[in-house]
Amino acid sequence: MARHERMPTDERRLAAAKAAAYHCGAFPTVPTISADELVRLRDTEEKVVVVDTRSAAERRVARIPGALSKEEFEMAIEDCQDATVVCYCTVGRRSGAYAARLAKSRACKSVLNSEGILMYSYLDAAGTGPHALVDELGAPATRIHVYASPWDLASERFESVKFGVLGAIGAAFE
């Protein structure tokens, strides 16, 4: 049984928000954008590029629709110079590190770090419509990869998937 499985939804959401604030806060030079703000930004701005900084295994389970992997983004970076780039991972740590490097390089107009897919999972929009999380086939996601037990804080609407010890070590070096 998952560590947070019996935790009520409001407590799970609060714990996810605290984890995101802590991890995003490690990168004070990169502005953080909430999941709600990300949806509004994508609805109102013409050129927003979302970069999923998680491993391929995590992306296969669920991702924000239209998000590029780091590799896909880096191959298209020339086309993204005038875009607002929003990086995300599980709770903002890996994406924050990537966003900080990207902002320092000045390759893009604006670089933001997202609170992560855990907070995104709590949005009503995450379940249906154009902002619904999708699996590797583009179908609505029913699961979310939470990386490991300490981050098993996704909305109860989604089944949590975690790495084992060896998988987490491998993903850390991907």
Side-chain angles (χ1 to χ4, degrees):
M1 187 170 293
R3 181 175 158 207
H4 302 286
E5 197 166 19
R6 294 177 192 235
M7 189 183 291
T9 299
D10 289 345
E11 289 180 33
R12 288 170 68 88
R13 184 180 185 137
L14 180 60
K18 285 181 178 179
Y22 174 78
H23 290 289
C24 291
F27 305 96
T29 61
V30 180
T32 300
I33 186 171
S34 73
D36 288 316
E37 291 168 330
L38 174 56
V39 168
R40 282 194 298 278
L41 183 69
R42 291 181 84 188
D43 283 343
T44 59
E45 283 209 23
E46 192 171 308
K47 191 127 185 196
V48 178
V49 177
V50 179
V51 181
D52 188 337
T53 65
R54 301 173 306 146
S55 70
E58 292 168 281
R59 291 192 309 270
R60 282 191 295 273
V61 175
R63 62 180 169 77
I64 295 174
L68 303 175
S69 68
K70 289 188 302 187
E71 297 77 17
E72 292 167 330
F73 172 72
E74 289 167 3
M75 288 176 22
I77 199 163
E78 296 294 322
D79 299 329
C80 301
Q81 292 175 346
D82 61 340
T84 298
V85 177
V86 179
C87 303
Y88 81 94
C89 63
T90 305
V91 291
R93 176 66 68 161
R94 291 174 286 170
S95 56
Y98 186 75
R101 286 191 305 273
L102 190 58
K104 188 174 181 179
S105 76
R106 300 185 187 268
C108 302
K109 165 183 97 169
S110 175
V111 180
L112 305 170
N113 186 23
S114 166
E115 294 176 316
I117 200 165
L118 292 184
M119 289 306 297
Y120 197 93
S121 75
Y122 286 94
L123 295 178
D124 288 337
T128 60
H131 299 289
L133 292 171
V134 295
D135 64 17
E136 67 183 323
L137 301 175
T142 58
R143 305 177 311 148
I144 287 184
H145 204 299
V146 298
Y147 194 78
S149 292
W151 299 281
D152 188 2
L153 298 167
S155 167
E156 291 175 339
R157 293 182 298 172
F158 298 93
E159 176 188 345
S160 295
V161 176
K162 301 178 263 319
F163 283 123
V165 174
L166 295 179
I169 292 169
F173 292 101
E174 189 173 283

